[in-house]
Amino acid sequence: MATDPSLIRNFSIIAHVDHGKSTLADRILDVTGAVTNREKKAQFLDKMELEQERGITIKAQSVRLNYTAEDRKTYQLQLIDTPGHVDFSYEVSRSLNACEGALLVVDATQGVQAQTVANVYLALENDLEIIPVINKIDLPSADVDRAAEMVEEVIGLDCSGAVLTSGKTGVGVLELLETLVTRLPPPQGERDVPLRALIFDCWYDSYRGAVVMVRVMDGVMRRGDKIKLLATDRSFEVTDLGCFTPQPTKLDELGPGEVGYFSGNIKTVSDTKIGDTVTTLRNPATEALAGFADVKPMVYAGLFPSDPAEYEELRDSLSKLQLNDSSFQYEPDTSEALGFGFRCGFLGLLHMEIIQERLEREYHIDLVTTAPSVVYHAYTKLGEKVLVDNPAKLPEPGVLDRVEEPIMKVTVHAPAEYVGAIVALCEERRGVQMGLHYATPQHVVITYELPLAEVLLDLHDKMKSVSRGYASMDYELTGYRPDDLVKLDMLVNGEALDALSVILHRNVSFTRGRALASKLKELVPKQQYEVAIQAALGNKIISRVTIKAARKDVTAKCYGGDISRKRKLLEKQKAGKKRMKQVGSVEIPQEAFLAILKLDQ
């Protein structure tokens, strides 16, 4: 029997990276008795090996807990632990759609950081009740009053009812659960109406097919029901229904306000869509739930199997990964240098790194990744707009009118003493200052407009360096702006290497071209003839290096005698080299294609 909706509380934990979300979730699992002493481990909800290693949450995890409150009622708590990194904010927004409230966790030693603010705005967009939680109060450097003051100043959230906790020692966790039960609203929803459930997550299981995570808004979902997905218009039978407690637990039905998973012989990945509405076939709902805005990738890169025979395997692996992570996109691509592969779209560089590592670990595929590039808008002289997610798609200079690049609004939170260094760094990256605001005398919020290509390169690392690790940043797309952008091609013996083409600002193209050419000179093996490596902007060569031929001393056997004998042998060698140069092709090793990535390191 489904739980009475008035006794259900669905909530998310949101915070900046490393403010203690997953540790606090561990303590909540302990207090409610969801895990036994034998099962206990740090970061319990971070199931993925990568999450455990890196100490970050990548996938939002959901768990159902039972808690008997002081009023003697047993409440059903549905906890969703969300990621904190800016690249995974899409995961956060989906999870918040399944909740009525959110715990805003703030580190008592660091106070409000960039992602704290970004995640609060996501929660406010979903009309959630927000409970401020000041965590890590057990640390010697904790300053609770300052953290509370920052929450009030920067976010505008009243902290008089903030809960003080320590995820490490468990202090304040019971008070937190009591506050949850009293302050968060129960879910709204009727039992005796057609079923409407929102799909907010999905993953692939090799035994059961697609497993779908849903939040029931109205009606009841039962095992054995014939269901229909409104967006894809596909029908299935619910063969398995359950929830995580945190172990998978089978259920007979899910009522209004409840969160759970179901599977139903959904064989192909494309049959489900995150944000879709599930209803019953017999008594279908007419109106779909508001889903999620389709997310647009920010960064594109080519993924190619190092062994061409693994192409099919890579395609299947990508389709399974996409089911679990709908913010990642891919399409087939070919490269003269690397053969058949895929052009993939990611939300950021960390997202790209995680996908790459998951493909190598979970699906055992050895990959070659091309340099990441952002999506440019190119306009021809006839007024046509071309979306350029691959430098190869940029129109020729003769027909090109202008190129617009994506501009990000970057918000940096930092201690006041590092303002000068941060401003200098942003100015150097073609930034335009939008605002500089002192939230408290020691804490400053700096806002800049910066090209996405400059943000991606290594802005985060440089920001951490100049601020000794204290600055935190968040960014969002604000629009596109034209600039003097050019396509840099690398030529080997006059042939362009498509995998090494990049679009960049004209001012840095000369230094970048020179650096790439000299890097390639180290990596391309010597041939029997001279090899020219050139960097070119259109038809204009801006840099050239020459790899000398591997010499063989053909006159070694010539001892004594007339000089004409030696000359004859040298002329013969020269003619042979010339002929080889005309027909020979230079084999470029794969390390050369990673040269662009390594340059900035």
Side-chain angles (χ1 to χ4, degrees), residues 394-398 486-491 496 502 506 534-542:
L394 191 71
E396 290 300 314
V486 289
K487 179 175 149 199
L488 176 73
D489 284 316
M490 298 308 297
L491 311 175
V502 282
R506 192 181 295 275
Q534 297 162 311
L537 301 180
N539 297 326
K540 184 183 174 189
I541 303 296
I542 57 168

Short mmCIF file of all heavy atoms in Angstrom, two decimals, residues 394-398 486-491 496 502 506 534-542:
data_model
loop_
_atom_site.label_atom_id
_atom_site.label_comp_id
_atom_site.label_asym_id
_atom_site.label_seq_id
_atom_site.Cartn_x
_atom_site.Cartn_y
_atom_site.Cartn_z
N LEU A 394 33.93 25.36 -40.70
CA LEU A 394 33.99 26.81 -40.87
C LEU A 394 34.07 27.15 -42.37
O LEU A 394 34.91 26.62 -43.07
CB LEU A 394 35.22 27.38 -40.15
CG LEU A 394 35.27 28.90 -40.03
CD1 LEU A 394 34.22 29.39 -39.04
CD2 LEU A 394 36.64 29.38 -39.59
N PRO A 395 33.17 28.03 -42.87
CA PRO A 395 33.22 28.38 -44.30
C PRO A 395 34.56 29.01 -44.70
O PRO A 395 35.29 29.52 -43.85
CB PRO A 395 32.08 29.41 -44.44
CG PRO A 395 31.19 29.18 -43.27
CD PRO A 395 32.08 28.70 -42.16
N GLU A 396 34.88 28.95 -46.00
CA GLU A 396 36.15 29.51 -46.51
C GLU A 396 36.19 31.02 -46.27
O GLU A 396 35.15 31.69 -46.31
CB GLU A 396 36.26 29.23 -48.02
CG GLU A 396 36.49 27.76 -48.35
CD GLU A 396 37.75 27.21 -47.73
OE1 GLU A 396 38.80 27.88 -47.82
OE2 GLU A 396 37.69 26.11 -47.14
N PRO A 397 37.40 31.59 -46.06
CA PRO A 397 37.51 33.03 -45.81
C PRO A 397 36.85 33.90 -46.88
O PRO A 397 36.32 34.98 -46.58
CB PRO A 397 39.03 33.28 -45.77
CG PRO A 397 39.62 31.95 -45.41
CD PRO A 397 38.71 30.92 -45.99
N GLY A 398 36.82 33.41 -48.13
CA GLY A 398 36.22 34.19 -49.22
C GLY A 398 34.73 34.44 -49.06
O GLY A 398 34.21 35.48 -49.45
N VAL A 486 39.87 33.29 -36.29
CA VAL A 486 40.42 32.67 -37.51
C VAL A 486 40.60 31.17 -37.28
O VAL A 486 40.66 30.71 -36.14
CB VAL A 486 41.79 33.31 -37.89
CG1 VAL A 486 41.61 34.72 -38.40
CG2 VAL A 486 42.75 33.27 -36.71
N LYS A 487 40.70 30.43 -38.39
CA LYS A 487 40.94 28.99 -38.29
C LYS A 487 42.42 28.73 -38.56
O LYS A 487 42.95 29.16 -39.58
CB LYS A 487 40.07 28.26 -39.31
CG LYS A 487 40.27 26.75 -39.30
CD LYS A 487 39.28 26.11 -40.26
CE LYS A 487 39.85 24.87 -40.87
NZ LYS A 487 39.18 24.48 -42.07
N LEU A 488 43.06 28.07 -37.62
CA LEU A 488 44.48 27.72 -37.76
C LEU A 488 44.58 26.28 -38.24
O LEU A 488 44.05 25.37 -37.59
CB LEU A 488 45.18 27.89 -36.40
CG LEU A 488 46.65 27.48 -36.33
CD1 LEU A 488 47.52 28.49 -37.07
CD2 LEU A 488 47.12 27.37 -34.88
N ASP A 489 45.24 26.08 -39.39
CA ASP A 489 45.43 24.73 -39.92
C ASP A 489 46.89 24.33 -39.78
O ASP A 489 47.79 25.17 -39.94
CB ASP A 489 45.06 24.68 -41.41
CG ASP A 489 43.56 24.68 -41.62
OD1 ASP A 489 42.87 23.96 -40.90
OD2 ASP A 489 43.08 25.43 -42.50
N MET A 490 47.13 23.06 -39.51
CA MET A 490 48.51 22.55 -39.50
C MET A 490 48.69 21.71 -40.76
O MET A 490 47.88 20.82 -41.04
CB MET A 490 48.75 21.68 -38.26
CG MET A 490 48.62 22.42 -36.94
SD MET A 490 49.59 23.92 -36.83
CE MET A 490 51.25 23.28 -36.97
N LEU A 491 49.73 22.02 -41.53
CA LEU A 491 49.99 21.31 -42.79
C LEU A 491 51.27 20.49 -42.66
O LEU A 491 52.29 20.99 -42.17
CB LEU A 491 50.16 22.30 -43.95
CG LEU A 491 49.10 23.41 -44.11
CD1 LEU A 491 49.49 24.36 -45.23
CD2 LEU A 491 47.75 22.81 -44.43
N ALA A 496 46.66 19.31 -45.09
CA ALA A 496 46.12 19.75 -43.80
C ALA A 496 45.76 18.54 -42.94
O ALA A 496 45.21 17.56 -43.43
CB ALA A 496 44.88 20.61 -44.02
N VAL A 502 42.18 24.28 -35.36
CA VAL A 502 41.51 24.95 -34.22
C VAL A 502 41.05 26.34 -34.65
O VAL A 502 41.64 26.94 -35.55
CB VAL A 502 42.43 25.10 -32.98
CG1 VAL A 502 42.55 23.82 -32.22
CG2 VAL A 502 43.80 25.63 -33.35
N ARG A 506 42.75 35.98 -33.57
CA ARG A 506 43.90 36.28 -34.42
C ARG A 506 45.14 36.67 -33.61
O ARG A 506 46.26 36.31 -33.96
CB ARG A 506 43.54 37.40 -35.41
CG ARG A 506 44.57 37.57 -36.51
CD ARG A 506 44.19 38.71 -37.44
NE ARG A 506 42.97 38.45 -38.19
CZ ARG A 506 42.94 37.77 -39.33
NH1 ARG A 506 44.05 37.27 -39.86
NH2 ARG A 506 41.79 37.57 -39.95
N GLN A 534 53.89 23.24 -41.46
CA GLN A 534 53.51 24.65 -41.53
C GLN A 534 52.22 24.92 -40.76
O GLN A 534 51.34 24.07 -40.69
CB GLN A 534 53.29 25.06 -43.01
CG GLN A 534 54.55 24.93 -43.84
CD GLN A 534 54.22 24.91 -45.32
OE1 GLN A 534 53.35 24.15 -45.75
NE2 GLN A 534 54.91 25.71 -46.10
N ALA A 535 52.15 26.13 -40.19
CA ALA A 535 50.90 26.61 -39.58
C ALA A 535 50.34 27.65 -40.54
O ALA A 535 51.08 28.54 -40.98
CB ALA A 535 51.18 27.21 -38.21
N ALA A 536 49.05 27.55 -40.88
CA ALA A 536 48.48 28.45 -41.89
C ALA A 536 47.15 29.02 -41.43
O ALA A 536 46.35 28.34 -40.80
CB ALA A 536 48.28 27.69 -43.20
N LEU A 537 46.94 30.31 -41.77
CA LEU A 537 45.63 30.94 -41.61
C LEU A 537 45.10 31.12 -43.02
O LEU A 537 45.57 32.00 -43.75
CB LEU A 537 45.74 32.31 -40.93
CG LEU A 537 46.36 32.36 -39.53
CD1 LEU A 537 46.39 33.79 -39.02
CD2 LEU A 537 45.57 31.50 -38.56
N GLY A 538 44.16 30.28 -43.45
CA GLY A 538 43.71 30.33 -44.84
C GLY A 538 44.87 29.99 -45.76
O GLY A 538 45.52 28.95 -45.63
N ASN A 539 45.20 30.93 -46.70
CA ASN A 539 46.31 30.69 -47.64
C ASN A 539 47.63 31.26 -47.13
O ASN A 539 48.65 31.17 -47.79
CB ASN A 539 46.00 31.32 -49.00
CG ASN A 539 44.78 30.67 -49.61
OD1 ASN A 539 44.56 29.48 -49.42
ND2 ASN A 539 43.96 31.45 -50.33
N LYS A 540 47.59 31.89 -45.96
CA LYS A 540 48.78 32.58 -45.45
C LYS A 540 49.53 31.68 -44.47
O LYS A 540 48.98 31.24 -43.47
CB LYS A 540 48.35 33.87 -44.76
CG LYS A 540 49.49 34.72 -44.27
CD LYS A 540 48.92 35.94 -43.54
CE LYS A 540 50.03 36.75 -42.90
NZ LYS A 540 49.49 37.80 -42.04
N ILE A 541 50.80 31.38 -44.80
CA ILE A 541 51.63 30.56 -43.90
C ILE A 541 52.20 31.48 -42.83
O ILE A 541 52.83 32.49 -43.14
CB ILE A 541 52.78 29.87 -44.67
CG1 ILE A 541 52.25 29.02 -45.83
CG2 ILE A 541 53.64 29.04 -43.73
CD1 ILE A 541 51.40 27.85 -45.44
N ILE A 542 51.99 31.13 -41.55
CA ILE A 542 52.48 32.02 -40.48
C ILE A 542 53.67 31.41 -39.73
O ILE A 542 54.33 32.10 -38.97
CB ILE A 542 51.36 32.37 -39.48
CG1 ILE A 542 50.75 31.10 -38.86
CG2 ILE A 542 50.28 33.22 -40.11
CD1 ILE A 542 49.84 31.37 -37.67
#
